[in-house]
Structures are given as structure tokens and as C-alpha cells.
Amino acid sequence: MTEPLAAPADAEQRRAIKPVVCYPNDTLPVPDLRLYQAARQGAEKTGEVLVQPRDAACFEVPAGHFFRITSVEGPQVGDLNLWNRNDLSERFYSGKTRALHGTHISTGERMWSSFPHLRPMATIVADTLGWYGIDAYGGSVHDVIGTRCDPYTGNLLAGSQYHHCCHSNLTRALADHIGVSLADAEVHVHDVLNVFMCTGFTRETGQYFMKASPVRPGDHLEFFAEIGLLGALSACPGGDCSSEHSSDAAACYPLLVEIFAPAGAALEGWQSPQPNGYDRSHGRG
């Protein structure tokens, strides 16, 4: 191993330069949370899906409806994929969501879709873990930094052939829901919102870490569907992610997804967001 180069004389001056936020978000369209929360008050439940431990399930949510993810039996994290239910090429873009809002998202923040659409897919309207904030380790909940546990990384690091990672769970669920092969479904599975997961980066090495989720039965994260959605949720094999994932060692529990329809006039004046207005000429108009 080569020795690290000696720091230059002005190293501390360079390190001391103040950071600049890449994407100041004060001009982002602001969701009307009062409207959404008022509409939610009179909404009626129209369906539910119970996601089994170490497995995944799909669900559909019409535009203007709500969906809630709840811990129902024990501390459990979930990996969430979202697509435009009429066009799977439009899907959740975790990287841009992270750039616009931060490493973890909560009430009033949004899940944004992929290029060329780049529009809100879902807005968080309720979060019973919103109190957690950022802890002494730099950890917080509901992250958009982890990619999802997957069998390829498990094979790379441990030579394993584990089939109930979230990536595989989501692949099976999507394949079954839309009636395609696993290979055809897998290309649509993407980086997730890690629901209830408590994560951050170590200060010493900058490595992604996880710790026991603060989620308890009854805790929930609730969303407003800005467009018609197809969702897939995996109940992670890591359980509360306090020790390990990509194995059957952790205690795991189901997650409940519920869908709610607002009353007819409850969203008067609301419109589903249009795709991004960029002209797509890329300088060759």
C-alpha cells in the first residue's frame, strides 16, 4: 500500500472553506398540506395489503388518494419503490430527492420522479417518527441514501446466494403484479425510500451505517399520491436493521399498506403536477 501524500501547507485553509448548498430549495413548489390534511380527515379506506416478512407486495394508488405504511407487530423497516402506474419508465428518483430535500425525508417533503419527468410523485403528509430528528451519531429515519439490500452485493462480499434481499423481493412482487418475467421486472426495480430505517454516515470513514430503528407498532408514514402510482414495498430481511441484513438471522415483522380515497369535493382546486417543463432540446434546438 502506498503511503498517503503529506498535506500541503495550506491544508487547513482549504478544509475551512464554507460549503454551499447545491440546490437551494426555497423556490420548489410548496405542497398545500392544509388541503391534503383536510382531505385526509374525511377519506375512506378502499384497500390494504399486508406485506409479509422477508417478502414484498405491490399496491396501486390513484392520483389524489392517500396511502399509509404502518408497523403492525414489531420494529420493521421497509424498502419502497414507486412508479407511474401507466408508465414504468417514470419512477422514483432517490438521488434527486436527496439533492432537493436531504438524506432523509419527512412531512411536507416529496418523492420526485426520474428524468425527463422530474415532478412530485408523492408528498409525505404524516410521520409519527418526525420527532426523531438527527441523533448524536448523525443518524435519522426514512433515508434516500441506501440503495436497497441486494443479492449481488451479498455475493460480492460474502459469496452468498441469498434470495430474500429487498431487491429480489421487489423484483418478484413486480413480476407477479404486472405478469412479466423476473428478468423483465428486475430492470424496473430502483433505489428506494428506506421507510423507518435509521441510517447515516460515519464521521471517521464516511461509511453508510444503520442502527436499530425507533419504529414501534402503530408508527406510520403517510403519503398523498400526486400522480397515479404503482408501489412495491419490501419488508426488509434486516428487521429493524440493528445488526445485519441479507440473511434470515434478524427478527422480522409484516408491514401494512392502506389506501384511502378522499371525498369527492375535498381536493377542489388541486391538479396533478405536469411533467417537467424543460424543452429537452439539450442545446440543439
Side-chain angles (χ1 to χ4, degrees):
M1 181 180 295
T2 58
E3 291 293 322
L5 294 174
D10 63 346
E12 289 308 312
Q13 289 176 279
R14 298 191 203 181
R15 292 190 183 108
I17 295 172
K18 291 183 178 180
V20 176
V21 173
C22 293
Y23 296 100
N25 60 15
D26 53 343
T27 59
L28 276 179
V30 178
D32 189 344
L33 287 181
R34 287 188 179 182
L35 176 67
Y36 295 169
Q37 290 165 351
R40 177 65 180 87
Q41 291 300 312
E44 294 187 0
K45 184 173 174 178
T46 59
E48 68 174 43
V49 174
L50 187 66
V51 183
Q52 297 300 320
R54 297 187 178 88
D55 208 348
C58 286
F59 57 94
E60 297 192 19
V61 189
H65 289 211
F66 299 87
F67 69 100
R68 173 186 284 189
I69 299 172
T70 303
S71 169
V72 288
E73 291 182 15
Q76 177 66 43
V77 306
D79 286 42
L80 177 65
N81 267 185
L82 291 181
W83 300 266
N84 178 336
R85 69 174 183 173
N86 298 313
D87 177 8
L88 294 187
S89 71
E90 182 176 9
R91 63 193 191 186
F92 171 51
Y93 189 176
S94 68
K96 190 56 67 178
T97 299
R98 179 172 65 249
L100 291 173
H101 293 303
T103 56
H104 301 75
I105 59 176
S106 188
T107 305
E109 295 174 323
R110 292 169 140 172
M111 298 175 70
W112 294 81
S113 70
S114 53
F115 298 155
H117 314 277
L118 193 60
R119 59 176 167 174
M121 301 185 80
T123 299
I124 299 177
V125 295
D127 176 11
T128 62
L129 295 178
W131 55 268
Y132 191 88
I134 300 175
D135 64 31
Y137 299 97
S140 192
V141 292
H142 314 311
D143 88 61
V144 285
I145 48 179
T147 56
R148 65 200 173 276
C149 57
D150 70 273
Y152 301 101
T153 304
N155 183 261
L156 176 68
L157 297 177
S160 61
Q161 292 289 325
Y162 184 70
H163 304 301
H164 293 276
C165 295
C166 289
H167 177 86
S168 296
N169 296 346
L170 294 167
T171 297
R172 291 193 310 274
L174 182 62
D176 292 347
H177 190 80
I178 65 175
V180 300
S181 69
L182 291 173
D184 287 341
E186 186 175 22
V187 298
H188 295 292
V189 173
H190 52 279
D191 288 351
V192 297
L193 170 61
N194 281 306
V195 179
F196 305 138
M197 192 172 182
C198 189
T199 59
F201 293 106
T202 63
R203 297 298 298 169
E204 297 81 7
T205 61
Q207 288 175 286
Y208 181 54
F209 71 74
M210 62 185 190
K211 55 179 291 191
S213 173
V215 69
R216 297 293 182 268
D219 279 322
H220 61 265
L221 190 63
E222 188 161 302
F223 305 81
F224 176 77
E226 300 282 356
I227 64 173
L229 297 173
L230 168 60
L233 180 68
S234 171
C236 181
D240 70 355
C241 288
S242 59
S243 55
E244 63 176 286
H245 55 64
S246 302
S247 80
D248 290 336
C252 290
Y253 303 94
L255 292 169
L256 178 66
V257 181
E258 300 169 282
I259 294 87
F260 301 88
L267 289 169
E268 186 173 355
W270 172 80
Q271 291 185 328
S272 186
Q274 294 299 304
N276 191 272
Y278 175 61
D279 66 14
R280 302 186 66 185
S281 65
H282 303 292
R284 291 186 178 177

